[in-house]
């Protein structure tokens, strides 16, 4: 059955329509999970990007100035986020589920937020939640279908250039047999990031076999080939309301420029898709990466 869940953080009131996944409803995105709540609360309570040591570290990392100087014309580099905050930022969320982080980003001042998911029942809830929590104009918040690994992720999101901000909350879970799905996720992340893109990824800390040899450490190693990373400290998370009780981590990432040590392709899997399966149209051969500019 449908139910209403209330959320609050930094003065923002959010109401989410959700469902309880179970035996007859196996779609994981129809419920609010801890990592999504953690990322949303942290974004809502963060006074400014400048206030986060992790964001400062990844945006000011060695070599960033050289990359940003080569950025596209007419669009400020992501480094300016440290000065201007979220105002005017274009944002995409992957595997958005109910859309809490996207809703928070839209209300923090992002100009356009596209909350994406590849599961149809989840997308119905996501669309309803975006409409019910629409930000004040001129900011825009909308839902879009995106299955990981599709040929043109930018077009699926309705944009023509990589966004300034890419969000992802608890998009990696399961054992090694799900690795083709996470390779499809990596493919979409690479399509949706450039030198100007800041990635914020929240993840539940799991234990046992899933932590030792599951997809999380494998995916973290895959990301390390293409992204620089800095973790938001537990103290910083703890300073944001109920996040103090969270069992999640938040990482800030930025693309490495193609060069020594950075692979030029990402290996294809057996298919691509979102949390619930593959997309037969996705390419199975390695994809040549675009130069980070």
């Amino acid at each position: 059955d449908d139910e209403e869940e209330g959320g609050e953080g930094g003065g923002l009131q959010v109401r989410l329509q959700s469902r309880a996944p179970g035996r007859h409803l196996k779609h994981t995105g129809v419920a609010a999970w801890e990592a999504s709540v953690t990322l949303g609360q942290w974004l809502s309570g963060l006074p400014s990007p400048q206030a986060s040591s992790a964001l400062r570290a990844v945006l000011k990392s060695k070599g960033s100035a050289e990359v940003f100087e080569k950025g596209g014309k007419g669009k400020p580099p992501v480094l300016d986020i440290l000065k201007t905050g979220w105002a005017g930022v274009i944002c995409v969320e992957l595997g958005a589920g109910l859309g809490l982080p996207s809703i928070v980003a839209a209300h923090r001042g992002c100009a356009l937020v596209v909350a994406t998911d590849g599961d149809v029942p989840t997308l119905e809830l996501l669309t309803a939640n975006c409409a019910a929590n629409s930000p004040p104009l001129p900011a825009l918040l909308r839902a879009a279908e995106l299955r990981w690994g599709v040929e043109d992720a930018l077009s699926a999101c309705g944009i023509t250039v990589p966004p300034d901000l890419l969000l992802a909350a608890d998009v990696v879970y399961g054992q090694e047999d799900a690795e083709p799905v996470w390779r499809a996720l990596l493919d979409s992340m690479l399509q949706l990031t450039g030198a100007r893109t800041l990635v914020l990824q929240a993840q539940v800390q799991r234990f046992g076999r899933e932590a030792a040899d599951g997809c999380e450490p494998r995916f973290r190693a895959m990301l390390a080939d293409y992204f620089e990373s800095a973790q938001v400290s537990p103290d910083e998370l703890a300073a944001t309301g109920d996040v103090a009780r969270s069992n999640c981590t938040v990482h800030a990432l930025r693309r490495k420029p193609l060069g020594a040590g950075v692979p030029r392709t990402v290996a294809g899997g057996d298919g691509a898709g979102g949390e619930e399966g593959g997309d037969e149209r996705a390419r199975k051969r390695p994809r040549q990466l675009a130069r980070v500019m």
Side-chain angles (χ1 to χ4, degrees):
D1 296 332
D2 292 355
E3 61 185 45
E4 293 291 332
E5 295 185 355
E8 180 179 1
L12 173 64
Q13 295 281 346
V14 177
R15 294 193 67 83
L16 298 177
Q17 185 178 359
S18 66
R19 297 175 187 169
R23 180 179 179 183
H24 300 293
L25 185 61
K26 301 184 183 298
H27 308 274
T28 58
V30 298
W33 299 103
E34 185 179 3
S36 177
V37 175
T38 295
L39 182 57
Q41 288 184 330
W42 177 68
L43 282 174
S44 182
L46 188 67
S48 70
Q50 183 69 38
S52 169
S53 58
L55 299 194
R56 294 197 307 271
V58 76
L59 293 177
K60 292 184 176 180
S61 59
K62 183 178 180 181
S64 62
E66 178 183 353
V67 174
F68 290 139
E69 287 174 0
K70 299 177 181 178
K73 296 180 179 179
K75 190 174 181 63
V78 73
L79 190 63
D80 285 355
I81 287 180
L82 293 179
K83 299 179 180 179
T84 64
W86 309 117
V89 163
I90 306 300
C91 172
V92 170
E93 183 179 4
L94 292 171
L98 300 182
L100 179 58
S102 289
I103 293 168
V104 172
H107 283 268
R108 287 310 306 265
C110 291
L112 170 65
V113 179
V114 184
T116 72
D117 207 281
D119 177 61
V120 174
T122 300
L123 194 60
E124 294 174 355
L125 290 173
L126 179 60
T127 301
N129 287 334
C130 287
N133 297 276
S134 57
L137 293 174
L140 296 175
L141 169 65
R142 58 179 174 82
E145 181 177 2
L146 174 64
R147 296 185 67 81
W148 300 337
V150 296
E151 286 281 344
D152 192 345
L154 290 172
S155 293
C157 296
I159 56 180
T160 58
V161 294
D164 306 287
L165 179 64
L166 185 66
L167 304 175
D170 212 17
V171 291
V172 178
Y173 49 87
Q175 301 297 330
E176 59 272 10
D177 58 354
E179 187 164 327
V181 177
W182 314 138
R183 289 198 174 276
L185 169 59
L186 175 61
D187 180 275
S188 291
M189 291 181 68
L190 293 171
Q191 289 190 60
L192 291 169
T193 52
R196 293 184 289 272
T197 307
L198 168 66
V199 183
L200 296 177
Q201 183 196 9
Q203 192 69 38
V204 173
Q205 296 185 83
R206 293 178 170 86
F207 303 95
R209 181 187 174 191
E210 203 168 358
D213 61 358
C215 277
E216 278 185 60
R218 292 171 181 263
F219 188 69
R220 184 64 56 190
M222 290 160 61
L223 287 177
D225 285 338
Y226 303 95
F227 294 88
E228 298 173 348
S229 175
Q231 182 176 343
V232 177
S233 71
D235 288 343
E236 185 177 322
L237 288 179
T240 313
D242 291 338
V243 177
R245 297 191 294 272
S246 174
N247 188 39
C248 299
T249 61
V250 176
H251 285 82
L253 302 95
R254 186 179 66 86
R255 279 284 296 276
K256 297 177 179 178
L258 288 179
V262 179
R264 291 186 173 272
T265 62
V266 56
D270 296 330
E275 299 86 336
E276 308 302 335
D279 187 332
E280 296 179 356
R281 296 169 300 175
R283 286 193 295 190
K284 299 180 182 181
R285 62 182 181 275
R287 187 192 300 279
Q288 185 74 22
L289 299 185
R291 180 170 297 277
V292 181
M293 294 296 286

